[in-house]
Amino acid sequence: MRDRTHTGTRAAGGAPKAGPPASVRNVVLVGHSGSGKTTLVEALALASGAVNRAGRVEDGATLSDHEEIERRRGRSVQLSVVPVAWDDHKVNLLDTPGHPDFVGELRAGLRAADAALFVVSAAQEADAVAGACRAVWEECAAVGMPRAVVVTHLDTARTSFDEMVRVCGRIFGQGDPDAVLPLYLPVRGPEGPDGHAPLTGLTGLLNGRVSDHSSGERVEAPPSGGRLESYRAARGRLVEGIIAESEDETLMDRYLRGDELDTATLVDDLERAVARGSFHPVLAAAPAAGGGRRGVGTVELLDLVTRGFPSPEERAVPGVTTPDGAPRPTPACDAEAPLLAEVVKTSSDPYVGQVSLLRVFSGTLRPDDTVHVCGHGLTHPRDAESPRHEADVRIGALSSPFGGQQRPLDACVAGDLACVAKLGGAETGDTLSGDGDPLLMEPWPLPDPLLPVGVRAHGKADEDKLSPVLSRLVAEDPALRVEQNQDTGQTVLWCMGEAHSEVALEHLRTRYGVRVDTEPHRVPLRETFASRTVGLGKHVKQSGGHGQYAVCEIEVEPLAPGTGVEFVDKVVGGSVPRQFISSVEKGVRAQAARGVAAGHPLVDVRVTLLDGKSHSVDSSDAAFQTAGALALREAAAGTRVQLLEPVAEVGVLVPDSFVGAVMSDLAGRRGRVVGTEQESGERTLVRAEVPEAEIGTYTVTLRSLTHGTGRFERAYARHEPMPPQLAERLREG
């Protein structure tokens, strides 16, 4: 953005050291899968001097995809941090997975960052860009996070920078496409045999300079005559956009009078508008070719990050309370203030065990400090009933994450990131504060995992380890949820999608040595009586000594949904002694919990004890419990027992063009559409009620049906009678 010579100094071992908070920048890279985020991070690391070869550090280790599972799958599945130095700033680049299943890693990156780079591929369809980025863009907009757009893959045939700028203006402009405008225009070289002209440089619309990379090195020159017309038109629109978004009234007056605006003034206003989150520049970038160090757009992008994006001092710290929930003043981002930090990611290292990635919001964290760790994690709702864990922990060695490596750190100042090993069982989302003043930070939101996968231990040795290992897995990845379903007896791992479940299962096997078998998710069914009926329970046995004698007669009638099981005593004349009335009720309720037809709990019935018989010697509590259970089973034999299935309230948010397809698909799942609501951005919220058995894999289907642009939420509504033909098929199966 300014004509300056840049240097990137590094600390010993290759990782830069942070100065004061004002010199730190935390930037998260967001984009669809395959958009080139990781390649861009590698190009920026190379351009800044953080690495000597693209994608590799000094010892030959890869800078990205450092886990075996990532190398095998050919894509990122976890958050990666790569710090670089540029113009006396430390820039923490947070590379997030592009696949929507790994949204937990994305949210961790957003929490740790102060600005976002949205990376879009010129080779991708607009729907792919919208599906991966629109929701995250809106989240950033809600909190005023600065954003810029980087267009990649312009070297691919039949790609257009201008067309992608229009797409980004439509998707991200939120009704104001002039808030999303290019800061540089791409310069292309001669056309090749395929008719495509390679990207060789950029023309700055504010400084009027061309950065030419055709020789393999970056060389600046003035724009040539053939590009002047397009340059002037784009510059005029950019200047108008900057003035409008910067809210500088004096600049607007000068512009309307036709005064010449100097570049320095425009750059200052641009930087203010970008930092405030009201203007979003678009840049093009490509990795270095032919052995060059600086790829197209890397210098310009690093300039934008250090000059246009805010420091941690300029970003609001999330709200804090005491562990008991009493509000506390929000601390400032000051290296000398009391400590306030947060665990934004938890991972396991085969050599050192648990490793916690921390963002320090206030104060300075040093080795050997004693800190107070407090939190609910992100695995529980934030309310009075959710468990809270607290402990005083001594900090061991600090390290700076650098791709797959850890570099030693002397201290971590406010605004910076660091890793700590073996942090006393801390979970993602936990708060670190001074041991004399414990604090708790507001957690960041995570969507509910919607794909259930039934798991069971493969063998006895696996069974003993499965439960604690699942707890550790969820503590590391809060986008996972483990459910021990009491009705079905099944252990269910709730995931964000198929790729997420595959990675979780592979981590169980390779990281923790636990083998599991998967099975279809079973929804919790219920049973109820279709009509009024009676039953007689007779338990009479004589086998030497005291016998067993109990007889009871009951009437069973259906009740309204959600009523449960009611027990009514209408015995007269003492035919069932008072001390055994409760025994009959215990037997009835125990049998109801076991089910009377297909083994599912019985609900929504009233059981009335009408009469019975007893024996002065042989009657007992156990005998009347057995008689009560027998009476309920006999009553079930005299009427039709209905199967009830759970029904969910579903809200599906999709672009208007997919509403018809979504409603048709829901109808095919026995769903009932109950209404639609128009949402912003040409989207519609479809509300429906759908049996839970029909939406187990709906998250996968919806993603395919809407090209990744749709999302949905679900909540349990009630149990309803299952269609007779389906119920019969289930009983036979």
Side-chain angles (χ1 to χ4, degrees):
M1 295 167 66
R2 282 177 166 82
D3 296 326
R4 291 177 297 175
T5 300
H6 300 276
T7 58
T9 58
R10 291 181 289 157
K17 289 186 177 181
S23 67
V24 178
R25 299 292 184 271
N26 298 305
V27 183
V28 61
L29 283 82
V30 179
H32 50 84
S33 188
S35 62
K37 298 182 300 299
T38 300
T39 302
L40 179 60
V41 168
E42 293 173 351
L44 294 173
L46 182 63
S48 66
V51 295
N52 294 322
R53 287 189 294 157
R56 295 188 176 273
V57 292
E58 283 77 355
D59 61 0
T62 56
L63 185 62
S64 58
D65 297 341
H66 43 270
E67 277 207 1
E68 175 61 29
I69 190 172
E70 293 181 308
R71 291 192 290 271
R72 189 166 56 253
R73 293 175 178 270
R75 67 182 177 204
S76 300
V77 301
Q78 63 178 357
L79 176 70
S80 178
V81 182
V82 177
V84 302
W86 188 256
D87 194 28
D88 299 323
H89 289 75
K90 179 181 180 182
V91 180
N92 290 312
L93 300 170
L94 297 110
D95 183 18
T96 63
H99 197 287
D101 280 5
F102 304 106
V103 66
E105 302 291 318
L106 169 62
R107 295 295 176 87
L110 289 172
R111 182 67 159 204
D114 302 306
L117 289 175
F118 282 74
V119 184
V120 300
S121 170
Q124 284 282 356
E125 298 291 334
D127 284 345
V129 177
C133 300
R134 188 202 293 268
V136 183
W137 184 277
E138 292 174 350
E139 288 182 26
C140 294
V143 297
M145 177 178 283
R147 287 144 284 156
V149 180
V150 184
V151 180
T152 60
H153 297 160
L154 285 168
D155 282 332
T156 308
R158 294 181 296 278
T159 55
S160 169
F161 178 76
D162 292 339
E163 176 59 28
M164 187 50 65
V165 170
R166 284 191 288 270
V167 168
C168 292
R170 185 174 71 251
I171 296 173
F172 303 141
Q174 297 178 317
D176 183 12
D178 286 340
V180 184
L181 292 174
L183 200 56
Y184 298 87
L185 293 183
V187 177
R188 295 187 180 273
E191 290 187 359
D194 60 355
H196 180 67
L199 185 67
T200 60
L202 297 177
T203 301
L205 294 180
L206 292 184
N207 62 14
R209 304 287 290 177
V210 175
S211 60
D212 183 14
H213 294 253
S214 57
S215 65
E217 295 295 331
R218 184 178 186 273
V219 179
E220 288 197 355
S224 61
R227 302 189 183 100
L228 287 178
E229 184 176 348
S230 60
Y231 162 76
R232 291 187 182 114
R235 186 181 192 278
R237 189 180 178 195
L238 173 64
V239 170
E240 292 178 5
I242 291 173
I243 293 173
E245 298 299 336
S246 69
E247 299 179 358
D248 188 336
E249 295 183 2
T250 60
L251 195 63
M252 177 64 75
D253 292 338
R254 292 172 56 194
Y255 179 75
L256 294 176
R257 288 198 307 266
D259 295 349
E260 185 67 27
L261 303 179
D262 62 284
T263 301
T265 301
L266 289 173
V267 168
D268 288 340
D269 274 52
L270 168 67
E271 292 170 351
R272 281 194 294 270
V274 171
R276 198 171 60 245
S278 60
F279 184 79
H280 317 291
V282 183
L283 297 87
R293 173 172 290 277
R294 291 177 175 175
V296 176
T298 55
V299 169
E300 291 78 5
L301 191 52
L302 287 167
D303 276 352
L304 174 66
V305 167
T306 55
R307 299 292 303 176
F309 283 171
S311 72
E313 291 179 325
E314 301 171 74
R315 300 293 299 162
V317 176
V320 296
T321 66
T322 65
D324 295 329
R328 291 288 300 273
T330 302
C333 181
D334 183 350
E336 303 302 323
L339 177 69
L340 179 67
E342 187 174 34
V343 180
V344 296
K345 177 178 169 57
T346 309
S347 58
S348 291
D349 185 278
Y351 302 104
V352 301
Q354 178 178 298
V355 177
S356 301
L357 174 64
L358 308 179
R359 160 75 190 255
V360 178
F361 288 94
S362 178
T364 300
L365 185 66
R366 296 179 176 85
D368 297 327
D369 282 353
T370 298
V371 301
H372 188 81
V373 178
C374 178
H376 304 263
L378 297 178
T379 57
H380 306 289
R382 183 74 182 276
D383 55 39
E385 301 299 323
S386 59
R388 185 180 72 237
H389 47 267
E390 295 187 60
D392 289 330
V393 179
R394 187 168 176 266
I395 298 294
L398 292 178
S399 59
S400 173
F402 194 75
Q405 294 189 339
Q406 299 292 333
R407 305 291 176 81
L409 270 186
D410 297 331
C412 183
V413 301
D416 200 8
L417 306 176
C419 284
V420 180
K422 300 177 181 178
L423 193 57
E427 298 181 9
T428 301
D430 286 358
T431 304
L432 276 67
S433 54
D435 58 346
D437 185 20
L439 298 173
L440 190 61
M441 298 183 71
E442 289 291 336
W444 64 87
L446 278 174
D448 289 330
L450 297 171
L451 179 69
V453 179
V455 296
R456 63 173 183 271
H458 182 75
K460 177 62 177 175
D462 304 306
E463 185 176 345
D464 294 338
K465 296 187 293 183
L466 182 58
S467 181
V469 163
L470 285 176
S471 298
R472 289 179 62 185
L473 194 65
V474 171
E476 293 179 9
D477 184 358
L480 287 170
R481 180 165 60 86
V482 174
E483 174 193 7
Q484 303 289 346
N485 194 296
Q486 300 300 317
D487 293 329
T488 63
Q490 191 176 40
T491 300
V492 182
L493 191 62
W494 287 86
C495 309
M496 300 304 302
E498 289 181 315
H500 192 208
S501 67
E502 291 169 1
V503 169
L505 295 174
E506 188 161 348
H507 279 162
L508 283 176
R509 179 178 59 84
T510 60
R511 185 180 291 176
Y512 298 108
V514 176
R515 296 177 302 165
V516 297
D517 300 320
T518 61
E519 57 188 10
H521 174 237
R522 299 190 295 270
V523 299
L525 302 178
R526 302 282 189 268
E527 300 173 355
T528 193
F529 284 24
S531 60
R532 185 191 303 264
T533 184
V534 295
L536 179 67
K538 187 175 182 181
H539 182 60
V540 179
K541 286 188 177 182
Q542 189 69 43
S543 55
H546 284 297
Q548 299 180 51
Y549 188 94
V551 178
C552 62
E553 181 182 354
I554 63 172
E555 178 186 67
V556 186
E557 56 186 320
L559 294 179
T563 309
V565 177
E566 290 185 7
F567 184 83
V568 179
D569 169 25
K570 286 191 176 179
V571 173
V572 294
S575 56
V576 176
R578 303 309 303 172
Q579 68 267 29
F580 295 134
I581 299 294
S582 61
S583 303
V584 176
E585 181 178 0
K586 287 180 185 177
V588 166
R589 292 190 180 277
Q591 185 63 53
R594 294 191 295 268
V596 294
H600 305 292
L602 179 71
V603 296
D604 303 336
V605 293
R606 178 184 291 121
V607 179
T608 304
L609 178 60
L610 301 175
D611 201 359
K613 294 180 181 179
S614 64
H615 188 276
S616 59
V617 175
D618 294 340
S619 291
S620 65
D621 171 70
F624 270 101
Q625 285 192 45
T626 302
L630 291 172
L632 190 61
R633 292 208 298 267
E634 183 179 289
T639 188
R640 180 169 62 90
V641 177
Q642 287 183 328
L643 280 184
L644 304 177
E645 63 178 343
V647 175
E649 294 178 345
V650 174
V652 188
L653 183 64
V654 294
D656 293 344
S657 57
F658 293 110
V659 170
V662 166
M663 293 177 70
S664 176
D665 180 74
L666 290 174
R669 298 172 183 272
R670 298 189 284 127
R672 298 185 298 272
V673 175
V674 297
T676 60
E677 301 174 16
Q678 195 64 38
E679 299 287 332
S680 61
E682 298 180 344
R683 291 174 296 175
T684 299
L685 179 64
V686 180
R687 297 193 179 278
E689 294 180 345
V690 190
E692 289 192 6
E694 302 287 348
I695 56 173
T697 60
Y698 185 61
T699 185
V700 179
T701 302
L702 180 64
R703 192 174 295 162
S704 173
L705 192 65
T706 64
H707 301 172
T709 59
R711 62 181 188 268
F712 83 106
E713 296 178 347
R714 58 184 284 182
Y716 169 77
R718 60 188 173 277
H719 273 70
E720 286 186 353
M722 181 180 288
Q725 65 274 18
L726 293 180
E728 189 61 31
R729 192 183 311 157
L730 190 64
R731 290 191 182 100
E732 293 174 355

